[in-house]
């Protein structure tokens, strides 16, 4: 999975943390990257969410996608 990196008015993109959740369960964390993240999902519908957090602790609304396997 890949995504477009977030931007911030203070932090460089390399300092932004990305938390990846699959069906509401934490699956991965990456710093300063637009991916890739390898995720493992169940058969059926899977909700994938990515949250970006800057060094001040501000967290974005999730970027979401639903995948069917």
């Amino acid at each position: 999975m890949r995504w477009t990196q977030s931007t911030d008015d203070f932090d460089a993109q390399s300092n932004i943390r990305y938390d990846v959740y699959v069906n509401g369960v934490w699956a991965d964390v990456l710093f300063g990257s637009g991916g890739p993240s390898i995720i493992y999902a169940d058969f059926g519908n899977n909700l994938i969410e990515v949250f970006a957090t800057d060094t001040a602790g501000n967290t974005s609304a999730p970027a979401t996608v639903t995948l069917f396997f």
Side-chain angles (χ1 to χ4, degrees):
M1 206 172 105
R2 292 186 173 277
W3 54 88
T4 302
Q5 289 179 276
S6 291
T7 59
D8 188 78
D9 60 353
F10 181 77
D11 290 319
Q13 286 180 314
S14 62
N15 292 331
I16 296 176
R17 179 178 119 185
Y18 299 92
D19 292 300
V20 180
Y21 289 81
V22 178
N23 299 322
V25 177
W26 179 81
D28 199 3
V29 65
L30 295 162
F31 287 87
S33 172
S37 178
I38 297 172
I39 57 168
Y40 299 93
D42 297 322
F43 288 108
N45 284 325
N46 292 274
L47 176 64
I48 313 300
E49 299 173 292
V50 178
F51 294 85
T53 304
D54 66 14
T55 59
N58 300 308
T59 301
S60 71
T64 63
V65 66
T66 300
L67 301 175
F68 181 82
F69 293 103

